[in-house]
Coordinates of all heavy atoms in Angstrom, one line a residue:
M19 N -10.5 8.7 -38.8 CA -10.5 8.2 -37.5 C -9.7 9.1 -36.6 O -10.1 9.5 -35.4 CB -9.8 6.8 -37.5 CG -9.9 6.1 -36.1 SD -11.6 5.7 -35.8 CE -11.4 4.6 -34.4
T20 N -8.6 9.7 -37.1 CA -7.8 10.6 -36.3 C -8.6 12.0 -36.0 O -8.5 12.4 -34.9 CB -6.5 11.0 -37.1 OG1 -5.8 9.8 -37.3 CG2 -5.6 11.9 -36.3
F21 N -9.3 12.4 -36.9 CA -10.1 13.6 -36.8 C -11.1 13.4 -35.6 O -11.3 14.3 -34.8 CB -10.9 14.0 -38.1 CG -11.8 15.2 -37.9 CD1 -11.1 16.5 -37.8 CD2 -13.1 15.1 -37.9 CE1 -12.0 17.6 -37.7 CE2 -13.9 16.2 -37.7 CZ -13.3 17.4 -37.6
T22 N -11.8 12.3 -35.5 CA -12.8 12.0 -34.5 C -12.1 11.9 -33.1 O -12.6 12.5 -32.2 CB -13.5 10.7 -34.8 OG1 -14.1 10.7 -36.0 CG2 -14.5 10.4 -33.8
N23 N -11.0 11.3 -33.1 CA -10.2 11.2 -31.8 C -9.8 12.6 -31.3 O -9.8 12.9 -30.1 CB -8.9 10.4 -32.0 CG -9.3 8.9 -32.1 OD1 -10.4 8.5 -31.7 ND2 -8.4 8.1 -32.6
R24 N -9.3 13.5 -32.3 CA -9.0 14.8 -31.9 C -10.2 15.6 -31.4 O -10.1 16.4 -30.4 CB -8.4 15.6 -33.1 CG -6.9 15.2 -33.4 CD -6.3 16.1 -34.4 NE -5.4 15.3 -35.2 CZ -5.0 15.6 -36.4 NH1 -5.4 16.7 -36.9 NH2 -4.3 14.8 -37.1
R25 N -11.3 15.5 -32.1 CA -12.5 16.1 -31.7 C -12.9 15.7 -30.3 O -13.3 16.6 -29.4 CB -13.6 15.9 -32.7 CG -14.8 16.8 -32.4 CD -15.9 16.7 -33.3 NE -15.7 16.1 -34.6 CZ -16.6 15.7 -35.4 NH1 -17.9 15.9 -35.1 NH2 -16.3 15.2 -36.5
I26 N -12.9 14.4 -30.0 CA -13.2 13.9 -28.7 C -12.3 14.5 -27.6 O -12.7 14.9 -26.6 CB -13.3 12.5 -28.7 CG1 -14.4 11.9 -29.5 CG2 -13.3 11.9 -27.3 CD1 -14.4 10.4 -29.7
F27 N -11.0 14.5 -27.9 CA -10.0 15.0 -27.0 C -10.3 16.5 -26.7 O -10.2 16.9 -25.6 CB -8.6 14.9 -27.6 CG -7.6 15.5 -26.8 CD1 -7.1 14.9 -25.6 CD2 -6.9 16.7 -27.2 CE1 -6.1 15.5 -24.8 CE2 -5.9 17.3 -26.4 CZ -5.5 16.7 -25.3
I28 N -10.6 17.3 -27.8 CA -10.9 18.7 -27.6 C -12.0 18.9 -26.7 O -12.1 19.8 -25.8 CB -11.0 19.4 -28.9 CG1 -9.6 19.5 -29.6 CG2 -11.5 20.9 -28.7 CD1 -9.6 20.0 -31.0
F29 N -13.1 18.2 -26.9 CA -14.3 18.2 -26.1 C -14.0 17.8 -24.6 O -14.5 18.5 -23.7 CB -15.4 17.4 -26.6 CG -16.1 18.0 -27.8 CD1 -16.3 17.3 -28.9 CD2 -16.6 19.3 -27.8 CE1 -16.9 17.8 -30.1 CE2 -17.2 19.8 -28.9 CZ -17.4 19.1 -30.0
Q30 N -13.1 16.9 -24.4 CA -12.8 16.4 -23.1 C -12.0 17.6 -22.3 O -12.3 17.8 -21.2 CB -12.0 15.2 -23.1 CG -12.9 13.9 -23.4 CD -12.0 12.7 -23.6 OE1 -10.9 12.7 -24.0 NE2 -12.7 11.6 -23.5
V31 N -11.1 18.1 -23.1 CA -10.3 19.2 -22.5 C -11.1 20.4 -22.2 O -11.0 21.0 -21.1 CB -9.1 19.6 -23.4 CG1 -8.4 20.9 -23.0 CG2 -8.1 18.5 -23.6
A32 N -12.1 20.8 -23.1 CA -12.9 21.9 -22.8 C -13.8 21.6 -21.6 O -14.1 22.5 -20.7 CB -13.8 22.2 -24.0
G33 N -14.3 20.4 -21.5 CA -15.2 20.0 -20.4 C -14.4 20.0 -19.1 O -14.9 20.6 -18.0
A34 N -13.2 19.5 -19.1 CA -12.4 19.6 -17.9 C -12.0 21.0 -17.4 O -12.1 21.3 -16.3 CB -11.1 18.8 -18.1
A35 N -11.7 21.9 -18.3 CA -11.4 23.2 -18.0 C -12.7 24.0 -17.5 O -12.5 24.7 -16.5 CB -10.9 24.0 -19.3
T36 N -13.8 23.7 -18.0 CA -15.1 24.2 -17.5 C -15.3 23.7 -16.1 O -15.6 24.6 -15.1 CB -16.3 23.8 -18.4 OG1 -16.0 24.4 -19.6 CG2 -17.5 24.4 -17.8
A37 N -15.1 22.4 -15.8 CA -15.3 21.9 -14.5 C -14.4 22.5 -13.5 O -14.7 22.8 -12.3 CB -15.2 20.4 -14.5
L38 N -13.1 22.8 -13.9 CA -12.1 23.3 -12.9 C -12.5 24.8 -12.6 O -12.3 25.2 -11.5 CB -10.8 23.2 -13.6 CG -10.1 21.9 -13.6 CD1 -8.7 21.9 -14.4 CD2 -9.9 21.5 -12.1
S39 N -12.9 25.6 -13.7 CA -13.2 26.9 -13.4 C -14.5 27.0 -12.5 O -14.5 27.9 -11.6 CB -13.4 27.7 -14.7 OG -14.6 27.3 -15.4
V40 N -15.4 26.2 -12.7 CA -16.6 26.2 -11.8 C -16.2 25.8 -10.4 O -16.7 26.4 -9.4 CB -17.7 25.2 -12.4 CG1 -18.8 25.0 -11.4 CG2 -18.3 25.8 -13.6
S41 N -15.3 24.8 -10.3 CA -14.9 24.4 -9.0 C -14.1 25.6 -8.3 O -14.4 25.8 -7.0 CB -14.0 23.1 -9.1 OG -13.5 22.8 -7.9
A42 N -13.3 26.2 -8.9 CA -12.5 27.3 -8.4 C -13.4 28.4 -8.0 O -13.3 29.1 -6.9 CB -11.4 27.8 -9.4
A43 N -14.4 28.8 -8.8 CA -15.4 29.9 -8.5 C -16.2 29.5 -7.2 O -16.4 30.3 -6.3 CB -16.2 30.1 -9.6
H44 N -16.5 28.2 -7.2 CA -17.3 27.8 -5.9 C -16.4 27.9 -4.7 O -16.9 28.3 -3.7 CB -17.8 26.3 -6.2 CG -18.6 25.8 -5.1 ND1 -19.9 26.4 -4.8 CD2 -18.3 24.9 -4.1 CE1 -20.3 25.7 -3.6 NE2 -19.5 24.8 -3.2
A45 N -15.2 27.4 -4.8 CA -14.3 27.5 -3.7 C -14.1 29.0 -3.1 O -14.0 29.2 -2.0 CB -13.0 26.8 -4.0
Q46 N -14.0 29.9 -4.1 CA -13.7 31.3 -3.7 C -15.0 31.9 -3.1 O -14.9 32.8 -2.3 CB -13.3 32.1 -4.9 CG -11.9 31.7 -5.4 CD -11.4 32.4 -6.6 OE1 -12.2 33.0 -7.3 NE2 -10.2 32.3 -6.9
S47 N -16.1 31.5 -3.6 CA -17.4 32.1 -3.1 C -17.9 31.4 -1.8 O -18.9 31.9 -1.3 CB -18.5 32.0 -4.2 OG -18.8 30.6 -4.4
G48 N -17.3 30.5 -1.4 CA -17.6 29.8 -0.2 C -18.0 28.3 -0.5 O -17.9 27.8 -1.6
G49 N -18.4 27.6 0.5 CA -18.7 26.2 0.3 C -18.7 25.6 1.6 O -18.5 26.3 2.6
P50 N -18.9 24.3 1.7 CA -19.0 23.7 3.0 C -17.6 23.7 3.7 O -16.6 23.6 3.0 CB -19.5 22.2 2.7 CG -19.1 22.0 1.2 CD -19.2 23.4 0.6
K51 N -17.6 23.6 4.9 CA -16.3 23.6 5.7 C -15.8 22.1 5.6 O -16.6 21.2 5.6 CB -16.7 23.8 7.2 CG -15.5 24.0 8.1 CD -16.0 24.4 9.5 CE -14.9 24.4 10.5 NZ -15.4 24.7 11.8
L52 N -14.5 22.1 5.4 CA -13.8 20.8 5.3 C -13.8 20.1 6.6 O -13.4 20.7 7.6 CB -12.3 21.1 4.8 CG -11.5 19.8 4.7 CD1 -12.0 18.8 3.6 CD2 -10.1 20.1 4.4
A53 N -14.2 18.8 6.6 CA -14.2 18.1 7.8 C -12.8 17.3 8.0 O -12.2 16.9 7.0 CB -15.3 17.1 7.8
E54 N -12.4 17.2 9.2 CA -11.2 16.5 9.4 C -11.2 15.0 9.0 O -10.2 14.4 8.8 CB -10.7 16.7 10.8 CG -10.2 18.1 11.2 CD -9.8 18.2 12.6 OE1 -9.9 17.2 13.4 OE2 -9.3 19.2 13.0
T55 N -12.4 14.6 8.9 CA -12.7 13.1 8.5 C -12.8 12.9 7.1 O -12.9 11.8 6.6 CB -14.0 12.6 9.2 OG1 -15.1 13.5 8.9 CG2 -13.8 12.6 10.7
D56 N -12.8 14.0 6.3 CA -12.9 13.9 4.8 C -11.7 13.0 4.4 O -10.5 13.2 4.8 CB -12.8 15.3 4.2 CG -12.8 15.2 2.7 OD1 -11.7 15.0 2.1 OD2 -13.9 15.5 2.1
P57 N -11.8 12.1 3.4 CA -10.8 11.2 3.0 C -9.5 12.0 2.6 O -8.3 11.6 2.9 CB -11.3 10.4 1.9 CG -12.7 10.4 2.1 CD -13.1 11.7 2.8
Q58 N -9.6 13.1 1.8 CA -8.5 13.8 1.4 C -7.8 14.5 2.5 O -6.6 14.7 2.7 CB -9.0 14.9 0.3 CG -7.8 15.8 -0.2 CD -6.8 15.1 -1.1 OE1 -7.0 13.9 -1.5 NE2 -5.9 15.8 -1.7
A59 N -8.7 15.0 3.4 CA -8.1 15.7 4.6 C -7.3 14.7 5.5 O -6.3 15.1 6.0 CB -9.3 16.3 5.5
V60 N -7.9 13.5 5.7 CA -7.1 12.5 6.4 C -5.8 12.2 5.8 O -4.7 12.0 6.4 CB -8.0 11.2 6.6 CG1 -7.2 10.0 7.2 CG2 -9.2 11.5 7.4
A61 N -5.8 12.1 4.5 CA -4.6 11.7 3.7 C -3.5 12.7 3.9 O -2.3 12.4 3.9 CB -4.9 11.5 2.2
L62 N -3.9 14.0 4.0 CA -2.9 15.1 4.2 C -2.7 15.5 5.6 O -2.0 16.5 5.8 CB -3.4 16.2 3.4 CG -3.3 16.0 1.8 CD1 -3.9 17.2 1.0 CD2 -1.8 15.8 1.3
G63 N -3.4 14.8 6.5 CA -3.2 15.1 8.0 C -3.8 16.5 8.4 O -3.4 17.2 9.2
Y64 N -4.8 17.0 7.6 CA -5.5 18.2 7.9 C -6.1 18.3 9.3 O -6.8 17.3 9.8 CB -6.6 18.5 6.9 CG -7.4 19.8 7.2 CD1 -6.9 21.0 7.0 CD2 -8.7 19.6 7.8 CE1 -7.7 22.1 7.3 CE2 -9.4 20.7 8.1 CZ -8.9 21.9 7.8 OH -9.7 23.1 8.1
K65 N -5.8 19.4 10.0 CA -6.4 19.7 11.3 C -6.9 21.1 11.2 O -6.3 22.0 10.7 CB -5.4 19.5 12.4 CG -4.9 18.1 12.7 CD -5.9 17.3 13.3 CE -5.5 16.0 13.6 NZ -6.6 15.0 14.0
E66 N -8.1 21.4 11.8 CA -8.7 22.7 11.8 C -7.8 23.6 12.7 O -8.0 24.9 12.6 CB -10.1 22.7 12.4 CG -11.1 22.0 11.4 CD -12.6 22.0 11.9 OE1 -12.8 22.6 13.0 OE2 -13.3 21.4 11.3
D67 N -7.1 23.2 13.7 CA -6.3 23.9 14.5 C -4.9 23.4 14.5 O -4.6 22.2 14.8 CB -6.9 23.8 16.0 CG -6.1 24.6 17.0 OD1 -5.1 25.2 16.7 OD2 -6.6 24.7 18.1
T68 N -4.0 24.3 14.0 CA -2.6 23.8 13.8 C -1.9 23.4 15.1 O -1.0 22.6 15.0 CB -1.8 24.9 13.2 OG1 -0.5 24.5 12.8 CG2 -1.6 26.2 14.1
T69 N -2.5 23.8 16.3 CA -1.9 23.4 17.5 C -2.2 21.9 17.9 O -1.6 21.4 18.8 CB -2.2 24.3 18.7 OG1 -3.6 24.2 18.9 CG2 -1.8 25.8 18.4
K70 N -3.1 21.3 17.1 CA -3.5 20.0 17.5 C -2.9 19.0 16.5 O -3.4 17.8 16.4 CB -5.1 19.9 17.4 CG -5.6 20.7 18.6 CD -7.1 20.6 18.7 CE -7.5 21.5 19.8 NZ -9.0 21.6 20.0
V71 N -1.9 19.4 15.7 CA -1.3 18.5 14.7 C -0.4 17.5 15.6 O 0.3 17.9 16.5 CB -0.4 19.2 13.7 CG1 0.4 18.3 12.9 CG2 -1.3 20.1 12.9
D72 N -0.4 16.3 15.2 CA 0.5 15.2 15.9 C 1.9 15.4 15.5 O 2.3 15.1 14.4 CB 0.0 13.8 15.4 CG 0.7 12.6 16.1 OD1 1.6 12.9 16.8 OD2 0.2 11.5 15.9
A73 N 2.7 15.8 16.5 CA 4.1 16.1 16.3 C 4.9 14.9 15.9 O 5.9 14.9 15.2 CB 4.7 16.8 17.5
K74 N 4.5 13.7 16.4 CA 5.3 12.6 16.0 C 5.0 12.1 14.7 O 5.9 11.7 13.9 CB 4.8 11.3 17.0 CG 5.3 11.6 18.4 CD 4.9 10.4 19.3 CE 5.3 10.7 20.7 NZ 4.9 9.7 21.6
K75 N 3.8 12.3 14.2 CA 3.5 11.9 12.8 C 4.0 12.9 11.8 O 4.4 12.6 10.7 CB 2.0 11.8 12.7 CG 1.5 11.2 11.4 CD 0.0 10.9 11.4 CE -0.4 10.2 10.1 NZ -1.9 9.9 10.1
F76 N 4.0 14.2 12.2 CA 4.5 15.3 11.4 C 5.6 16.1 12.0 O 5.4 17.1 12.4 CB 3.3 16.2 10.9 CG 2.2 15.5 10.2 CD1 1.0 15.2 10.9 CD2 2.3 15.2 8.9 CE1 0.0 14.5 10.2 CE2 1.3 14.5 8.1 CZ 0.2 14.1 8.9
P77 N 6.8 15.5 12.0 CA 7.9 16.2 12.8 C 8.4 17.5 12.2 O 8.9 18.3 12.9 CB 9.0 15.1 12.7 CG 8.7 14.2 11.6 CD 7.2 14.2 11.5
N78 N 8.1 17.8 10.9 CA 8.5 19.0 10.3 C 7.5 20.2 10.6 O 7.7 21.3 10.1 CB 8.6 18.8 8.8 CG 9.9 18.0 8.6 OD1 10.8 17.9 9.2 ND2 9.8 17.3 7.4
H79 N 6.3 19.9 11.2 CA 5.3 20.9 11.5 C 5.9 21.8 12.5 O 6.6 21.4 13.5 CB 4.1 20.2 12.0 CG 3.1 21.2 12.5 ND1 2.9 21.4 13.8 CD2 2.1 21.9 11.9 CE1 1.9 22.3 14.1 NE2 1.5 22.7 12.8
A80 N 5.5 23.0 12.4 CA 5.8 24.1 13.4 C 4.5 24.8 13.8 O 3.6 25.0 12.9 CB 6.9 25.1 12.8
A81 N 4.4 25.3 15.0 CA 3.2 25.9 15.5 C 2.8 27.2 14.7 O 1.7 27.6 14.6 CB 3.3 26.2 17.0
S82 N 3.8 27.8 14.1 CA 3.6 29.0 13.3 C 3.0 28.8 11.9 O 2.6 29.7 11.3 CB 5.0 29.8 13.2 OG 5.9 29.0 12.5
Q83 N 3.0 27.5 11.5 CA 2.4 27.2 10.2 C 1.0 27.0 10.3 O 0.4 26.3 11.2 CB 3.0 25.9 9.7 CG 4.6 25.9 9.5 CD 5.1 24.6 9.2 OE1 4.5 23.5 9.3 NE2 6.4 24.5 8.9
N84 N 0.2 27.7 9.4 CA -1.3 27.5 9.3 C -1.7 27.8 8.0 O -1.0 28.3 7.1 CB -1.9 28.4 10.4 CG -1.7 29.9 10.2 OD1 -1.8 30.4 9.1 ND2 -1.3 30.5 11.3
C85 N -2.9 27.5 7.6 CA -3.4 27.6 6.3 C -3.4 29.1 5.9 O -3.2 29.4 4.6 CB -4.9 27.2 6.2 SG -5.1 25.3 6.4
A86 N -3.6 30.0 6.8 CA -3.7 31.5 6.5 C -2.3 31.9 5.9 O -2.2 32.8 5.1 CB -4.0 32.3 7.6
N87 N -1.1 31.3 6.3 CA 0.1 31.7 5.8 C 0.7 30.7 4.8 O 2.0 30.7 4.6 CB 1.1 32.1 6.9 CG 1.4 30.9 7.8 OD1 1.4 29.8 7.5 ND2 1.9 31.2 9.1
C88 N -0.1 29.9 4.2 CA 0.2 29.0 3.2 C 0.0 29.5 1.8 O -1.0 30.2 1.6 CB -0.6 27.7 3.4 SG -0.3 26.4 2.1
Q89 N 0.8 29.1 0.9 CA 0.7 29.6 -0.4 C -0.5 29.2 -1.1 O -1.0 29.9 -2.0 CB 2.0 29.0 -1.2 CG 2.3 29.7 -2.5 CD 3.6 29.1 -3.0 OE1 4.0 28.1 -2.7 NE2 4.3 30.0 -3.7
L90 N -1.1 28.1 -0.7 CA -2.3 27.5 -1.4 C -3.7 28.2 -0.9 O -4.6 28.1 -1.5 CB -2.4 26.0 -1.1 CG -1.2 25.2 -1.7 CD1 -1.3 23.7 -1.3 CD2 -1.1 25.3 -3.2
F91 N -3.7 28.8 0.3 CA -4.8 29.4 0.9 C -5.4 30.6 0.0 O -4.7 31.4 -0.4 CB -4.5 30.0 2.3 CG -5.7 30.4 3.0 CD1 -6.6 29.5 3.5 CD2 -5.9 31.8 3.3 CE1 -7.7 29.9 4.2 CE2 -6.9 32.2 4.1 CZ -7.8 31.3 4.5
Q92 N -6.6 30.4 -0.3 CA -7.3 31.4 -1.2 C -8.2 32.4 -0.4 O -8.9 33.2 -1.1 CB -8.1 30.6 -2.3 CG -7.2 29.8 -3.1 CD -8.0 28.9 -4.1 OE1 -9.1 28.6 -3.9 NE2 -7.3 28.5 -5.2
G93 N -8.2 32.4 0.8 CA -9.0 33.3 1.6 C -8.3 34.6 1.7 O -7.1 34.8 1.3
K94 N -9.1 35.6 2.1 CA -8.6 37.0 2.2 C -7.9 37.1 3.6 O -8.3 36.3 4.6 CB -9.6 38.0 2.1 CG -10.2 38.1 0.7 CD -11.4 39.1 0.6 CE -11.8 39.0 -0.8 NZ -13.1 39.7 -0.9
P95 N -6.9 37.9 3.8 CA -6.4 38.2 5.2 C -7.4 38.4 6.2 O -8.4 39.1 6.0 CB -5.4 39.4 5.0 CG -5.1 39.4 3.5 CD -6.4 38.9 2.9
K96 N -7.3 37.9 7.4 CA -8.2 38.0 8.5 C -9.5 37.2 8.4 O -10.3 37.3 9.3 CB -8.4 39.4 8.8 CG -7.2 40.3 8.9 CD -6.4 40.1 10.1 CE -5.2 41.0 10.2 NZ -4.1 40.5 11.0
E97 N -9.6 36.4 7.3 CA -10.9 35.6 7.2 C -10.7 34.3 8.0 O -9.5 33.8 8.0 CB -11.2 35.3 5.7 CG -11.9 36.5 5.0 CD -12.4 36.1 3.7 OE1 -11.9 35.0 3.1 OE2 -13.1 36.9 3.0
A98 N -11.7 33.8 8.6 CA -11.5 32.7 9.4 C -11.5 31.4 8.5 O -10.9 30.3 8.9 CB -12.9 32.4 10.3
T99 N -12.0 31.4 7.3 CA -11.9 30.3 6.4 C -11.6 30.7 4.9 O -11.7 32.0 4.6 CB -13.2 29.5 6.2 OG1 -14.3 30.3 5.8 CG2 -13.6 28.9 7.6
G100 N -11.2 29.9 4.1 CA -10.9 30.2 2.8 C -10.8 29.0 1.9 O -10.7 27.8 2.4
G101 N -10.8 29.1 0.6 CA -10.7 28.0 -0.3 C -9.2 27.4 -0.3 O -8.2 28.1 0.0
C102 N -9.1 26.3 -0.9 CA -7.8 25.7 -1.0 C -7.9 24.7 -2.3 O -8.9 23.9 -2.3 CB -7.4 24.8 0.2 SG -5.8 24.0 -0.1
P103 N -7.0 24.8 -3.3 CA -7.1 23.9 -4.4 C -7.0 22.4 -4.2 O -7.5 21.6 -4.8 CB -6.1 24.4 -5.4 CG -5.1 25.2 -4.5 CD -5.9 25.7 -3.3
L104 N -6.4 22.1 -3.0 CA -6.3 20.6 -2.6 C -7.7 20.1 -2.2 O -7.9 18.9 -2.3 CB -5.4 20.5 -1.5 CG -3.9 20.9 -1.9 CD1 -3.0 20.7 -0.6 CD2 -3.3 20.1 -3.0
F105 N -8.6 21.0 -1.7 CA -9.9 20.5 -1.2 C -11.0 21.2 -2.0 O -11.7 22.0 -1.4 CB -10.0 20.7 0.3 CG -8.8 20.2 1.1 CD1 -7.9 21.0 1.6 CD2 -8.8 18.8 1.3 CE1 -6.8 20.5 2.3 CE2 -7.7 18.3 2.0 CZ -6.7 19.1 2.6
A106 N -11.1 21.1 -3.3 CA -12.0 21.8 -4.1 C -13.3 21.8 -3.6 O -14.0 20.9 -3.3 CB -12.0 21.2 -5.5
G107 N -13.9 23.0 -3.7 CA -15.3 23.3 -3.2 C -15.5 23.3 -1.7 O -16.7 23.4 -1.3
K108 N -14.5 23.2 -0.9 CA -14.6 23.2 0.5 C -13.7 24.3 1.1 O -12.7 24.7 0.5 CB -14.2 21.8 1.1 CG -15.2 20.7 0.6 CD -14.8 19.4 1.2 CE -15.9 18.4 0.6 NZ -15.4 17.0 0.8
Q109 N -14.1 24.7 2.3 CA -13.4 25.8 2.9 C -12.5 25.3 4.1 O -13.0 24.3 4.9 CB -14.4 26.8 3.5 CG -15.3 27.5 2.6 CD -14.6 28.6 1.9 OE1 -14.0 29.5 2.4 NE2 -14.5 28.4 0.5
V110 N -11.3 25.7 4.1 CA -10.4 25.2 5.2 C -10.3 26.4 6.2 O -10.5 27.5 5.9 CB -9.0 24.9 4.7 CG1 -9.1 23.7 3.7 CG2 -8.4 26.1 4.0
A111 N -10.0 25.9 7.4 CA -9.8 26.9 8.5 C -8.5 27.7 8.3 O -7.5 27.1 8.1 CB -9.9 26.3 9.9
A112 N -8.5 29.0 8.5 CA -7.3 29.8 8.4 C -6.3 29.3 9.6 O -5.1 29.4 9.3 CB -7.6 31.3 8.6
A113 N -6.8 28.9 10.7 CA -5.9 28.4 11.7 C -5.6 26.9 11.6 O -4.9 26.4 12.4 CB -6.7 28.6 13.0
G114 N -6.0 26.3 10.4 CA -5.7 24.9 10.2 C -4.4 24.6 9.7 O -3.6 25.5 9.5
W115 N -4.1 23.3 9.3 CA -2.9 23.0 8.8 C -3.0 21.6 8.1 O -3.8 20.8 8.5 CB -1.8 22.9 9.8 CG -0.4 22.5 9.4 CD1 0.6 23.3 9.0 CD2 0.2 21.1 9.2 NE1 1.7 22.6 8.6 CE2 1.4 21.2 8.8 CE3 -0.4 19.9 9.5 CZ2 2.3 20.2 8.5 CZ3 0.4 18.8 9.2 CH2 1.8 18.9 8.7
C116 N -2.2 21.4 7.0 CA -2.1 20.1 6.4 C -0.7 19.8 5.9 O 0.2 20.8 5.9 CB -3.0 19.8 5.3 SG -2.5 20.5 3.7
S117 N -0.3 18.7 5.6 CA 1.2 18.4 5.3 C 1.5 18.9 4.0 O 2.7 18.9 3.7 CB 1.3 16.8 5.2 OG 0.4 16.3 4.3
A118 N 0.7 19.5 3.2 CA 1.0 20.2 2.0 C 1.4 21.7 2.2 O 1.6 22.4 1.3 CB -0.1 20.0 0.9
W119 N 1.4 22.1 3.5 CA 1.7 23.6 3.8 C 3.0 24.0 3.2 O 4.0 23.3 3.2 CB 1.8 23.7 5.3 CG 2.0 25.2 5.7 CD1 1.1 26.1 6.0 CD2 3.3 25.8 5.9 NE1 1.7 27.3 6.2 CE2 3.1 27.1 6.2 CE3 4.6 25.4 5.8 CZ2 4.1 28.0 6.4 CZ3 5.6 26.3 6.0 CH2 5.4 27.6 6.4
N120 N 2.9 25.2 2.6 CA 4.1 25.7 1.9 C 4.0 27.2 2.1 O 3.0 27.9 1.9 CB 3.9 25.5 0.4 CG 5.3 25.7 -0.3 OD1 6.3 26.1 0.3 ND2 5.3 25.7 -1.6
K121 N 5.1 27.7 2.7 CA 5.1 29.2 3.2 C 4.7 30.2 2.0 O 5.3 30.1 1.0 CB 6.4 29.5 3.7 CG 6.5 30.9 4.3 CD 7.9 31.2 4.9 CE 7.9 32.6 5.4 NZ 9.1 32.9 6.1
K122 N 3.8 31.0 2.4 CA 3.4 32.1 1.4 C 4.6 33.1 1.2 O 5.2 33.5 2.1 CB 2.2 32.8 1.9 CG 1.5 33.7 1.0 CD 0.3 34.4 1.6 CE -0.9 33.4 1.5 NZ -2.1 34.0 1.9
A123 N 4.8 33.5 0.0 CA 5.7 34.4 -0.3 C 5.5 35.8 0.4 O 4.3 36.2 0.3 CB 5.9 34.6 -1.8
A124 N 6.4 36.4 0.9 CA 6.2 37.6 1.6 C 6.0 38.8 0.6 O 6.0 38.9 -0.4 CB 7.4 38.0 2.4

């Protein structure tokens, strides 16, 4: 019984790893643009334009913060959009922002 459970676990881990790598590759190669109405985007307060973030709802937001200078942004410098692991398979605007913003290391 234990051997069967381990085998199932190993297959599940392998399947999950494959799904994650495919998702990451898709995000890097492009994908649909993330809509502000997407449930995950709404949950994180995502806006395509950082200047349109609700200051009352997100008091720690600063106008200088955007997806392009976030640690999670997977686009290349000067690209208008790029991938983000928080929104797998979708492209975020470089000028956008969400509450998970974290300053990119210099």
Side-chain angles (χ1 to χ4, degrees):
M19 189 69 166
T20 304
F21 177 73
T22 303
N23 288 339
R24 281 189 219 162
R25 187 178 342 168
I26 291 171
F27 174 75
I28 289 171
F29 283 128
Q30 288 174 336
V31 169
T36 301
L38 285 174
S39 66
V40 168
S41 177
H44 182 70
Q46 290 175 349
S47 67
K51 187 176 175 184
L52 177 66
E54 290 181 357
T55 56
D56 179 279
Q58 179 74 358
V60 171
L62 292 173
Y64 173 77
K65 294 290 182 190
E66 289 182 7
D67 182 351
T68 191
T69 63
K70 296 184 178 172
V71 173
D72 184 350
K74 290 180 182 177
K75 191 171 182 181
F76 301 102
N78 293 331
H79 171 263
S82 62
Q83 299 172 349
N84 60 49
C85 292
N87 63 25
C88 175
Q89 196 171 30
L90 300 172
F91 187 69
Q92 297 172 336
K94 294 178 182 167
K96 308 292 183 204
E97 285 187 345
T99 62
C102 178
L104 298 177
F105 308 106
K108 296 183 181 160
Q109 298 287 299
V110 297
W115 181 89
C116 84
S117 61
W119 181 88
N120 194 4
K121 185 177 181 177
K122 189 178 282 190

